[in-house]
């Protein structure tokens, strides 16, 4: 069943607009400045632009473990086919219930299927060689996204490692090690670890041949948010030892009560780590749409929704920093001062 069998084009357009309205979107001028980089010339242009920024947002998308998918499909009597059928039924159920995400996903799936059919008719469906060259491990960083306030660069690391590996250190490595460029991330330690595995000279520790000045300065907004909510929770508890406990835990403490977005009961009463979508909603007013997070990031070209998702995940980090600096500069400085670090000098 196709999406067009269930909804008119006007209905699809309406629910798609509702979906866009419900979630944070890239500003039009930033969306128009998203650049896909897969060669040395593009890499040099990206580095030149990024080195001019005071703050860049950094995120990665990881490739799927396609070897496990292949084994699952070959064994257990067509287990993957049954899973596909269950997925189709779930999608149809969502369409019948008017689920916005299901309708948008179905519309994209229908368009993708039509595009695939056109490609098959054009090249007789011979894509075995392309499939054989796909990544086979989930540890591979399929995409590195780096954003400024006005531009986003989507860097195809597998392609760059194949075409111009020696260009990575003097370009991306220079950006990540420049002390004048603050690198903002969210749960960024794992991103940097995987990058260092891929190219130790550009992204690794000094002892591995990485940048002599290390990778940094780095600020993890997940840690900043945790620090803010921790201090706000201690302040709300009114305990005499709250300052000593906050300081002992590594969080900066002051007699001035926090007023930032982390200081509301709704935020500090959450004792588990929050995701980037939650942070975006708390600071910017709308969450992120994470519906394509688990899609195939090793596939090329990226779909329009993947492109928007990937670009937004990096840009929102810069926008959160900008908004917090604009509205709560002193509090942000208190929190960031004890959490900004450079990676790779001794770790």
């Amino acid at each position: 069943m196709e999406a067009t069998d269930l909804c008119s084009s006007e209905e699809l357009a309406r629910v798609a607009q509702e979906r866009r309205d419900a979630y944070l979107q890239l500003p039009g001028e930033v969306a128009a400045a998203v650049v896909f980089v897969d060669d040395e010339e593009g890499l040099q242009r990206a580095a030149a632009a990024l080195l001019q920024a005071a703050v860049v947002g950094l995120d990665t998308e990881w490739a799927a473990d396609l070897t496990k998918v292949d084994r699952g499909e070959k064994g257990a009597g067509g287990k993957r086919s049954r899973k596909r059928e269950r997925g189709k039924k779930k999608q149809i159920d969502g369409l019948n219930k008017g689920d916005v995400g299901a309708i948008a996903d179905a519309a994209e799936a229908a368009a993708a299927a039509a595009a695939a059919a056109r490609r098959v008719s054009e090249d007789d469906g011979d894509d075995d060689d392309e499939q054989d060259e796909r990544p086979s491990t989930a540890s591979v960083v399929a995409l590195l996204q780096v954003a400024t306030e006005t531009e986003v660069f989507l860097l195809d690391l597998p392609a760059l490692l194949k075409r111009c590996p020696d260009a990575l250190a003097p370009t991306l490595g220079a950006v990540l090690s420049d002390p004048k460029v603050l690198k903002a991330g969210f749960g960024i330690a794992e991103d940097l670890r995987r990058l260092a595995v891929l190219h130790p000279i550009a992204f690794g520790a000094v002892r591995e041949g990485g940048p002599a000045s290390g990778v940094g300065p780095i600020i993890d907004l997940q840690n900043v948010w945790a620090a803010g909510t921790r201090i706000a929770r201690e302040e709300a508890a009114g305990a005499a030892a709250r300052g000593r406990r906050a300081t002992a835990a590594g969080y900066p403490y002051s007699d001035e009560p926090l007023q930032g977005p982390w200081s509301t009961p709704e935020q500090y009463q959450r004792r588990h780590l929050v995701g980037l979508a939650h942070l975006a909603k708390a600071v910017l007013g709308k969450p992120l749409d994470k519906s394509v997070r688990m899609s195939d990031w090793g596939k090329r070209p990226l779909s329009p929704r993947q492109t928007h998702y990937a670009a937004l995940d990096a840009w929102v980090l810069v926008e959160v920093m900008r908004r917090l600096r604009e509205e709560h500069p002193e509090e942000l400085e208190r929190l960031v001062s004890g959490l900004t670090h450079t990676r790779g000098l001794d770790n």
Side-chain angles (χ1 to χ4, degrees), residues 2 26 46 56 98 149 157 168 174 176 187 237 253 268 274 276 284 326:
E2 295 185 358
L26 280 174
V56 299
E149 287 189 11
L157 279 187
L168 287 169
L176 267 62
Y253 179 73
Y268 67 67
V274 303
L276 183 55
L284 304 175
E326 180 180 280

Side-chain angles (χ1 to χ4, degrees), residues 57-263:
L58 188 151
D59 189 39
T60 64
E61 303 300 338
W62 306 338
D65 190 340
L66 300 176
T67 57
K68 291 182 180 179
V69 172
D70 290 342
R71 287 195 294 271
E73 186 172 17
K74 292 175 182 176
K79 183 186 298 183
R80 192 181 179 207
S81 296
R82 292 196 296 273
K83 186 175 180 180
R84 268 200 305 266
E85 290 303 317
R86 289 196 298 270
K88 288 178 181 177
K89 183 179 184 300
K90 183 177 180 181
Q91 187 180 73
I92 292 171
D93 289 344
L95 288 166
N96 290 333
K97 293 175 182 177
D99 181 84
V100 172
I103 292 172
D105 291 341
E108 181 171 294
R118 287 194 297 272
R119 288 196 299 270
V120 168
S121 66
E122 292 170 358
D123 61 13
D124 296 328
D126 186 10
D127 60 356
D128 290 343
D129 292 340
E130 180 182 355
Q131 294 294 330
D132 290 343
E133 293 178 0
R134 299 273 294 283
S136 61
T137 171
S139 296
V140 171
V141 177
L143 195 71
L144 169 62
Q145 308 103 270
V146 192
T148 70
E149 287 189 11
T150 58
E151 298 176 280
V152 186
F153 298 95
L154 306 182
L155 298 122
D156 186 345
L157 279 187
L160 294 170
L161 286 167
K162 183 177 180 180
R163 295 172 180 170
C164 52
D166 294 339
L168 287 169
T171 53
L172 282 181
V175 173
L176 267 62
S177 62
D178 192 315
K180 300 186 297 296
V181 181
L182 177 65
K183 274 66 71 171
F186 194 88
I188 195 173
E190 183 63 16
D191 294 321
L192 295 176
R193 186 191 72 79
R194 292 182 183 238
L195 288 172
V197 169
L198 281 182
H199 201 298
I201 295 176
F203 311 120
V206 173
R207 65 174 181 271
E208 298 168 346
S213 58
V215 174
I218 298 164
I219 187 65
D220 191 327
L221 288 173
Q222 189 174 50
N223 294 339
V224 171
W225 191 260
T229 55
R230 170 64 184 270
I231 295 172
R233 186 161 56 247
E234 296 287 357
E235 289 175 346
R242 65 181 182 270
R244 291 194 300 273
R245 289 202 296 272
T247 301
Y251 300 131
Y253 179 73
S254 169
D255 291 330
E256 293 295 326
L258 297 180
Q259 301 293 326
W262 34 66
S263 66

